Amino acid sequence: MEAQKLMPDNGVSASFFDSLGMLVEKYGLHLPMLAGKPYPYNILLAYENAEKQLAAMNPDLELFIVEENGCVLMAVKETAYLQTDLCYIPVMPLCRMIRKNNRRQSCELLLSVFSYLYHVVGIPYYREEGSFMACHYEMIKDWLEDEIGDMEENDACFSQSDLHAQEHYGDSLFRKMNHPVHLKWFEKRLEQANPTDTWDRKCLEISREAYTLWQAFPHSTLYSHVPHWKTFAETQMEGYPCGEDDDDNLIRLNEYIHFVADLNGYAWRSISSNINVEFNERPYWQYPTLMRVFNEIEYRNQDTLAYEHRLFLMLNDLCVLLTTIP
């Protein structure tokens, strides 16, 4: 409910300004003098001023006016976004590094990081049956089998070899990731790390951040703040889905954050093309979201999106690292 659409006062101003006081205290805002301003102009001025200050403070914060149990209250929605639209973590670079056996400590650290991201954070793996990417890889494999007779012999052999390698080495790495030793020895590996060049030092830095996140937020996952799309407060927000078929219009976290085989080659070119088409048909993206309504209960809630903000930065650095192995 926007300020200019409010009903006759009847206590609206009192509940609004009580809620506004909590908002001002929480974020340290400075509001203009509104004494003597008529209703609803006083509410509109207060809202617009607070909205500008919040936007300047943090563009991920959005201010709303909501109605709850007959009271008109302020609410702030915070959203955690990736630095890029998609976060696909390639595993083949690590597989190749393990086979070369020239960066043993970094390989072990990345195995610990991958294990944490899969087992604790909950990022799905492309060889995991039923995962979003597993379905796409299977589609490409089926398509290749149907079309191989129409392809050039060299292209067909290369494409089949590419897919076979991604299945074989992907399964091997998946078995390694599932061994409990990689989480058990995560701390010891960090203590014993002795980087020899810039890449190794960056790998150690990312691994430390992953371990620190695990220790600071032991129960947090990728889905800790996935919004429930049909709550009353969220249906007040412009552009939010609230119907029974909205799942079909939603690009989910476990679809755009995923372990994949590689970000190069025949399979990835085909899969990324299919994903782009699929995602272009869905208007909504699912992001970690925290909605705080400023009433006496929610005002004292200390929940934040600190975990998600740090996780997304770390994932971005990890993807860059994996694509820049010397």
Side-chain angles (χ1 to χ4, degrees), residues 19-31 50 294:
S19 180
L20 179 63
M22 300 176 196
L23 176 78
V24 168
E25 182 180 342
K26 172 71 176 178
Y27 293 102
L29 306 183
H30 303 282
L31 296 179
F294 282 83

Side-chain angles (χ1 to χ4, degrees), residues 43-60:
I43 289 178
L44 179 60
L45 284 176
Y47 171 81
E48 290 181 344
N49 189 277
E51 183 181 41
K52 289 178 182 177
Q53 291 185 62
L54 279 177
M57 181 184 304
N58 185 345
D60 294 337

Side-chain angles (χ1 to χ4, degrees), residues 8-295:
D9 197 328
N10 297 330
V12 168
S13 293
S15 63
F16 173 84
F17 282 102
D18 283 347
S19 180
L20 179 63
M22 300 176 196
L23 176 78
V24 168
E25 182 180 342
K26 172 71 176 178
Y27 293 102
L29 306 183
H30 303 282
L31 296 179
M33 296 296 295
L34 298 173
K37 301 293 184 182
Y39 170 88
Y41 187 52
N42 57 346
I43 289 178
L44 179 60
L45 284 176
Y47 171 81
E48 290 181 344
N49 189 277
E51 183 181 41
K52 289 178 182 177
Q53 291 185 62
L54 279 177
M57 181 184 304
N58 185 345
D60 294 337
L61 299 178
E62 295 181 68
L63 184 63
F64 296 90
I65 298 177
V66 299
E67 183 182 4
E68 186 177 87
N69 300 323
C71 295
V72 174
L73 306 171
M74 303 296 285
V76 172
K77 178 171 77 79
E78 181 182 359
T79 306
Y81 298 101
L82 288 167
Q83 290 184 320
T84 57
D85 289 338
L86 307 173
C87 179
Y88 292 136
I89 307 166
V91 306
M92 290 301 289
L94 176 56
C95 294
R96 290 189 284 266
M97 197 162 64
I98 291 173
R99 289 169 63 197
K100 289 180 180 179
N101 196 31
N102 61 342
R103 292 179 182 268
R104 182 183 60 82
Q105 287 188 331
S106 290
C107 287
E108 290 178 346
L109 283 173
L110 286 176
L111 279 170
S112 290
V113 173
F114 278 24
S115 186
Y116 164 67
L117 293 177
Y118 178 74
H119 288 289
V120 182
V121 179
I123 296 177
Y125 193 84
Y126 76 103
R127 294 298 293 162
E128 181 182 14
E129 185 176 356
S131 70
F132 176 72
M133 281 296 176
C135 297
H136 277 277
Y137 278 95
E138 194 63 32
M139 286 170 52
I140 294 300
K141 183 178 180 180
D142 292 343
W143 180 86
L144 181 59
E145 291 175 353
D146 291 339
E147 301 294 325
I148 197 166
D150 299 326
M151 301 173 65
E152 295 288 338
E153 183 176 356
N154 287 342
D155 291 341
C157 290
F158 181 78
S159 300
Q160 284 185 316
S161 176
D162 187 24
L163 277 173
H164 176 73
Q166 292 179 6
E167 290 179 353
H168 174 74
Y169 292 111
D171 286 341
S172 175
L173 189 70
F174 198 34
R175 288 192 293 271
K176 287 183 173 69
M177 285 168 54
N178 277 301
H179 198 291
V181 70
H182 298 300
L183 288 178
K184 181 180 179 180
W185 288 357
F186 200 166
E187 183 179 17
K188 183 175 292 186
R189 287 171 174 175
L190 290 170
E191 293 172 350
Q192 295 176 347
N194 183 27
T196 59
D197 59 18
T198 300
W199 192 91
D200 278 343
R201 285 190 288 274
K202 185 63 178 178
C203 180
L204 177 58
E205 177 186 327
I206 292 170
S207 301
R208 278 184 178 141
E209 175 63 4
Y211 182 77
T212 301
L213 275 175
W214 182 25
Q215 300 308 299
F217 304 92
H219 304 297
S220 293
T221 74
L222 186 63
Y223 317 102
S224 293
H225 290 101
V226 170
H228 302 289
W229 296 95
K230 297 177 179 63
T231 62
F232 175 81
E234 286 164 345
T235 61
Q236 306 297 299
M237 300 181 203
E238 182 179 358
Y240 264 61
C242 56
E244 290 300 322
D245 298 324
D246 291 324
D247 285 354
D248 295 334
N249 297 319
L250 188 65
I251 301 171
R252 297 181 173 279
L253 272 166
N254 59 3
E255 294 175 334
Y256 69 85
I257 301 178
H258 213 294
F259 282 104
V260 299
D262 215 338
L263 300 179
N264 296 293
Y266 160 80
W268 181 247
R269 287 194 299 271
S270 301
I271 288 171
S272 61
S273 177
N274 291 344
I275 289 173
N276 284 334
V277 171
E278 181 176 343
F279 284 1
N280 283 337
E281 296 176 353
R282 301 193 232 166
Y284 302 110
W285 288 72
Q286 186 181 59
Y287 299 108
T289 302
L290 182 61
M291 181 71 173
R292 178 176 282 109
V293 178
F294 282 83
N295 56 31

